Every structure is written in structure tokens, then in C-alpha cells.
Amino acid sequence: NQRTKIKALLQTTPIDAKVTVMGWVRTFRNNQFIALNDGSTNLNLQIVVPLGMLGEDILKRITTGASLKIAGTIAKSVGKGQTIELLAENVEILGDCDAEKYPLQPKKHSLEFLREIAHLRFRTNTFGTVFRIRHALAFAIHQFFNERGFIYLHTPIITASDAEGAGEMFRVTTLPFDGTPRNEDGSVNFKEDFFGKSTNLTVSGQLEGELGAMAFSEIYTFGPTFRAENSNTTRHLAEFWMIEPEMAFCDLEDNMNLAEEFIQYIIQYVMKNNADDLAFLDQRLAEEEKQKPANERSEMGLIEKLNFVVNNRFERITYTEAIQILLDSPAYKKKKFKYEVSWGIDMQSEHERYLVEKHFKKPVIVTNYPADIKAFYMRLNDGCEPGKQTVAAMDILAPGIGEIVGGSQREERLEKLLQRMENMHIPVEEMNWYLDTRRFGTVPHAGFGLGFERMVQFVTGMTNIRDVIPFARTPKNCNF
Ligand code: ATP
Ligand code: MG
Ligand code: MG
Ligand code: MG
């Protein structure tokens, strides 16, 4: 007998069909009703066990967490909350679960508690839902770029370039595999390098991505990136995934248009394909909001927010305008900001969130940041006021999070780029591979990086980034 997934059964409702399902018990009531979940959907399949069919010894073993194989016939359900149920004809226990020791009880656990048992949290409705949506977003991302003819270029994880300046890096070391990797004093005998060369885990695939764009016109990379963020915020991880498209023959405006279209596309994909999962999170969030004091509640529900974002253009303002809005804000006048506000600052999340949540109440694209706070490869804007040199950069800020995208038009003019690198003390000799793109057939080009986890946060409404990646890597989270 072939196994049928619960999601498929609930979608097709094949009344009278003989099927076999496998999954884990969520609850077992009255020695008769099993709620079975197989992870294909947050909805459980109700299994009805005819009274007297199973002996005491088996009934005792049907506990929350136990895994079962059940064959039976699909029937219309008379109970509330489900359209069909499975009338069991044969129940087989695949794996027992000691109810006394099983940490997941059939009740609502706090996210903090579940973070401590992260190895089991996939089995809860909340995390099952979050990671199904994460999957759907990843799929939609590939589909979006594939439909537009972008080449998926795999940029390296281990890199020798350290010039990006995006954050602190993890150094690669070598552990000799000789069975006794220990010094005499017992310390681990690793070599501080990659076969004689100093290398790091990548902080971004952009520079390598530019090489691809200069050949394929349009590429994207989507892989893990690493930053030694020794801070505990709700939006930073030490290991996170980034989507980085890079486009030749493209300026800042085209770049912003693509980023906006891209974000709307992947949200729409999830709204269409994961409606049941979103409905669950919408409900979950609504309950959470009810616990908050009225003035702290968000104005929109999750689905309402996503609908709004796909149907409305993002606000576009310059960095200079953003700073002015902050300086004019009641929050600034009442000294509500922890960090200073003045032209030249790297905006903090409190500033970004003020702009999107309080001022514009929608996603905002901020352009033309001061050159001094941005990376060397961003294109210098012409005709700036003295002392106010800006670059053709753009960040997309989202409600609840702040920055989700960082992008720019790249400096394609070799002389300007060399000058900027010199000013920033970036060793040119090590970057010849990169500079060759400017030496040989340079073209205007642009790209951006979207933090995948921040996008998942936005779509799921989860407030902590640790809760949207299956295995979070932060200073306090690397237990397995
Ligand atoms: P932030 O200001 O939040 O530290 P950043 O400006 O350092 O971000 P970029 O170098 O612009 O980040 O990287 C591009 C995108 O990658 C960011 O817009 C964000 O979505 C994501 N990102 C950056 N750092 C992290 C991190 N530590 N954890 C998760 N996502 C991140
Ligand atoms: Mg950073
Ligand atoms: Mg930033
Ligand atoms: Mg940035």
C-alpha cells in the first residue's frame, strides 16, 4: 500500500478511498480519535479507531509523539473543524514515544522554550508552518529569476578576498587529519590558514557575482553567508542565507524596480501556495496582539499586511530626506531615539523602523547614502555638494524589521574605483581579478542582497530571526 500525504488527502477529499497514512500523533482522545500529522500541512488528519478494534496494550502506546502507520477508508467527517476523517482498519506502531519524557506536550509552548529544544521544534505547528513557508519562498526565488533568464551562479563559501567590509569574518583554519591533532600541551594543532593562504568564510557573494554578470548579463547567487556578529539582536545571525542578483546594463532605478517586483512576486507565491500556513500564522499573531496593550498593537493583521505590500508601490526617498524626516519627527524631539541623528550616520534599526512603521507605514527604499558609510564598490554620484559625497546605494526597509535589502549601482569607472580603493586603503594588488571587469569591457551594472531570513521574518511575522532558520547560529546558539 502506497503512503498518501495528509495535505493531498485534505485537498482531494477522496471519500471511500482506501489509503495508508504515516505520521506522528499530536493527540489521542477518548481511546478513539487520533490527530495525526505528517508535516505536509499544519492540519492534522483525524483518525477514528473503532471501539474494540485495538487491544489495551496497543492503545496505551498511542501517545503524543509516537509514529504510526494507519490503513483505512476515508469518510466524510461529522465532527467540527474537518471535512474528512480516516476510519482505521489497521494501526501499526512504528515508533513509541515515552510521554513522560517527550518535551512536546499537546499545548502551546513558548518560542523561548522551543528554541531550547530546537532539535524537536519542527514538530510544532508554528515551526512546521514557518519552515514550509521558508521552503516555498526559496522555491519562488529560483522561479522568479529563472523566468527572467538569470543564471544561478554558485559563488564560493571560502574566499581569499576580505575587501568587502560587510562585517567581521570567520577565518578558515586547517585541522590536520592524522588522528592525533594535538600539541604536546594538549591544545588542538590546527593551522591558521587554507594550505598556506589566509582565507575567510564569505560575507557576501557579490564581488564574485559581478564577474558572472559581466559574462551572462544577469546572474543571482543564493547561498549561506557568514558574519561574526557578536551581538544579540533579533535580526542578526552568524550564518544566514542571502539572495544576490547582479545585472549588467542596469542602473540604480532598474535595480530598485527589480527588487520591488521580486519581493512582491515571492510574497504572492506564498499567498497563493501556502494559504493554509499563512492563515495559521495570521491567527497566531492575532492572538499575540490581543495580549499587548491597545496602543502597541499593529494596525494590520499578517495577511492584510502582505496584501498591502503586494498591491502598493514602496515609498522611495533619499538618505538626505530620511535624515530630515527623522530630525523633524516627534520621536526625535521627545528624545526617543537611543542613537544620534545627523547627516552621515549609519541609520540604526530604530531609525529605519521609525521611517517604515510610524512615518510611511509601508516599505521604504532609501537611496543615495553618504559614501563614507558604504562599501568601496558603490558608484559615486556626480555633482554632490562639497562634504556630502553620496553613492548610488539603496536599502529597502520593511516594517517590523528595518533593512531587508542592501544594494547599489556599482562603480564601473576604473579610475574612480581605483581612487576610492586607495582612499579606503584597500590593497589593489589582491583585487586585480575584480578590477579586470572594469579593465575589459566595463558596463554600468547593479545588484542587491536580500537577507533570506529577514524576508522569512517579514512573511511569517516572526519577530526573532532565530525562529525562521532551521539551525540558528548566534553566539549563544550552536549546540548542534
Ligand atoms: P545590518 O545593517 O542589519 O547589519 P548590513 O547593512 O550589515 O545589515 P548588508 O551587508 O547590506 O547588511 O547585507 C545585505 C542584507 O543581508 C541585509 O540587508 C540583510 O537583509 C542581510 N543581513 C546582513 N547581515 C545579516 C545578519 N547578520 N543576519 C541576517 N541577515 C543579515
Ligand atoms: Mg551589518
Ligand atoms: Mg545596514
Ligand atoms: Mg546594508
Side-chain angles (χ1 to χ4, degrees):
N1 219 342
Q2 279 267 312
R3 175 171 80 102
T4 310
K5 287 209 178 177
I6 291 172
K7 182 173 178 137
L9 284 177
L10 295 176
Q11 274 171 349
T12 57
T13 63
I15 306 294
D16 293 336
K18 296 235 175 256
V19 301
T20 300
V21 294
M22 299 184 200
W24 294 267
V25 177
R26 283 292 172 83
T27 57
F28 185 35
R29 286 184 296 122
N30 303 345
N31 267 349
Q32 209 187 350
F33 303 107
I34 304 171
L36 194 78
N37 189 284
D38 67 1
S40 59
T41 158
N42 61 60
L43 302 171
N44 303 322
L45 180 66
Q46 165 148 290
I47 317 279
V48 183
V49 181
L51 287 172
M53 187 182 95
L54 299 175
E56 258 319 298
D57 49 331
I58 297 253
L59 287 173
K60 270 203 317 242
R61 292 168 62 198
I62 303 178
T63 57
T64 298
S67 48
L68 305 182
K69 172 179 177 179
I70 302 164
T73 306
I74 295 290
K76 228 181 157 77
S77 178
V78 286
K80 283 203 304 223
Q82 67 239 347
T83 50
I84 58 163
E85 59 193 21
L86 181 68
L87 297 178
E89 280 145 29
N90 190 51
V91 177
E92 189 185 322
I93 300 203
L94 300 175
D96 289 287
C97 180
D98 185 338
E100 298 283 299
K101 293 191 182 132
Y102 192 48
L104 293 172
Q105 295 304 310
K107 62 160 194 177
K108 195 168 174 193
H109 294 288
S110 75
L111 296 175
E112 290 74 20
F113 170 76
L114 292 171
R115 234 171 268 147
E116 274 162 34
I117 51 158
H119 60 296
L120 294 173
R121 68 179 179 169
F122 301 117
R123 299 182 184 195
T124 63
N125 273 338
T126 300
F127 287 97
T129 299
V130 166
F131 294 122
R132 271 189 301 275
I133 290 179
R134 182 179 165 111
H135 157 79
L137 281 168
F139 185 82
I141 286 163
H142 288 298
Q143 184 169 289
F144 175 88
F145 288 118
N146 190 51
E147 279 174 1
R148 283 158 187 76
F150 284 58
I151 297 294
Y152 179 22
L153 190 78
H154 301 99
T155 51
I157 303 283
I158 298 176
T159 63
S161 87
D162 60 357
E164 221 265 345
E168 299 226 30
M169 288 177 293
F170 291 108
R171 171 64 53 90
V172 173
T173 62
T174 315
L175 185 62
F177 186 68
D178 64 358
T180 54
R182 297 274 165 184
N183 296 318
E184 266 168 33
D185 66 358
S187 60
V188 175
N189 175 22
F190 57 76
K191 298 199 189 89
E192 280 281 359
D193 58 38
F194 177 85
F195 311 116
K197 196 170 170 60
S198 130
T199 54
N200 314 292
L201 297 183
T202 184
V203 291
S204 155
Q206 182 207 312
L207 300 186
E208 293 92 343
E210 284 184 55
L211 304 178
M214 291 302 125
F216 299 105
S217 296
E218 289 168 328
I219 64 99
Y220 71 106
T221 173
F222 181 9
T225 48
F226 307 86
R227 297 185 189 180
E229 312 269 11
N230 196 4
S231 63
N232 274 294
T233 76
T234 54
R235 67 175 208 186
H236 289 96
L237 291 164
E239 176 179 315
F240 65 99
W241 287 61
M242 190 148 51
I243 300 99
E244 295 175 280
E246 189 70 33
M247 295 79 68
F249 320 110
C250 176
D251 63 13
L252 190 66
E253 184 79 21
D254 302 326
N255 198 21
M256 287 192 277
N257 292 341
L258 184 86
E260 186 172 332
E261 186 190 340
F262 169 60
I263 289 170
Q264 291 177 330
Y265 178 101
I266 61 178
I267 294 175
Q268 257 160 341
Y269 179 91
V270 170
M271 293 181 80
K272 182 156 174 261
N273 293 282
N274 295 68
D276 49 346
D277 286 322
L278 281 180
F280 172 82
L281 290 173
D282 191 67
Q283 178 66 31
R284 181 184 174 282
L285 223 65
E287 276 161 31
E288 241 174 44
E289 288 292 307
K290 270 191 228 144
Q291 311 296 319
K292 293 186 191 164
N295 62 338
E296 284 173 27
R297 284 180 209 156
S298 47
E299 288 166 27
M300 285 188 199
L302 180 67
I303 293 176
E304 208 182 339
K305 174 188 87 176
L306 296 176
N307 253 317
F308 179 85
V309 169
V310 298
N311 289 310
N312 288 280
R313 297 296 305 270
F314 299 179
E315 194 68 37
R316 295 183 184 193
I317 56 168
T318 64
Y319 170 88
T320 304
E321 286 164 345
I323 294 296
Q324 199 54 52
I325 291 168
L326 293 173
L327 289 172
D328 292 340
S329 68
Y332 181 77
K333 290 182 179 138
K334 289 186 200 141
K335 298 194 169 22
K336 288 265 172 66
F337 293 129
K338 201 170 134 209
Y339 295 91
E340 67 144 332
V341 181
S342 65
W343 200 96
I345 59 157
D346 197 3
M347 278 190 272
Q348 300 292 319
S349 109
E350 58 172 357
H351 305 133
E352 296 173 342
R353 293 186 60 176
Y354 179 86
L355 291 171
V356 279
E357 289 161 30
K358 297 278 192 295
H359 192 83
F360 289 108
K361 300 183 194 291
K362 50 151 70 171
V364 177
I365 312 185
V366 182
T367 56
N368 300 329
Y369 282 75
D372 286 351
I373 54 167
K374 288 291 182 185
F376 74 94
Y377 50 74
M378 297 193 181
R379 193 177 197 276
L380 291 171
N381 286 323
D382 299 319
C384 296
E385 263 179 62
K388 292 213 166 165
Q389 178 65 57
T390 58
V391 286
M394 63 106 175
D395 276 11
I396 301 185
L397 316 179
I401 302 161
E403 176 180 345
I404 58 168
V405 163
S408 67
Q409 183 172 344
R410 319 306 187 191
E411 183 56 84
E412 84 284 12
R413 300 162 295 188
L414 181 64
E415 287 313 313
K416 298 234 181 217
L417 186 58
L418 285 171
Q419 185 61 55
R420 186 108 199 274
M421 289 171 76
E422 192 179 308
N423 295 347
M424 293 173 79
H425 309 292
I426 292 166
V428 170
E429 325 71 71
E430 287 166 30
M431 298 295 292
N432 274 318
W433 60 273
Y434 179 73
L435 292 165
D436 274 355
T437 53
R438 276 60 168 179
R439 293 190 181 109
F440 308 128
T442 190
V443 297
H445 63 289
F448 63 84
L450 169 72
F452 187 46
E453 285 71 25
R454 293 194 190 172
M455 191 65 214
V456 182
Q457 274 186 282
F458 184 70
V459 174
T460 58
M462 300 297 282
T463 49
N464 194 318
I465 199 165
R466 291 164 185 77
D467 295 334
V468 297
I469 187 162
F471 306 97
R473 277 8 181 177
T474 61
K476 284 187 190 130
N477 281 282
C478 200
N479 302 329
F480 62 90

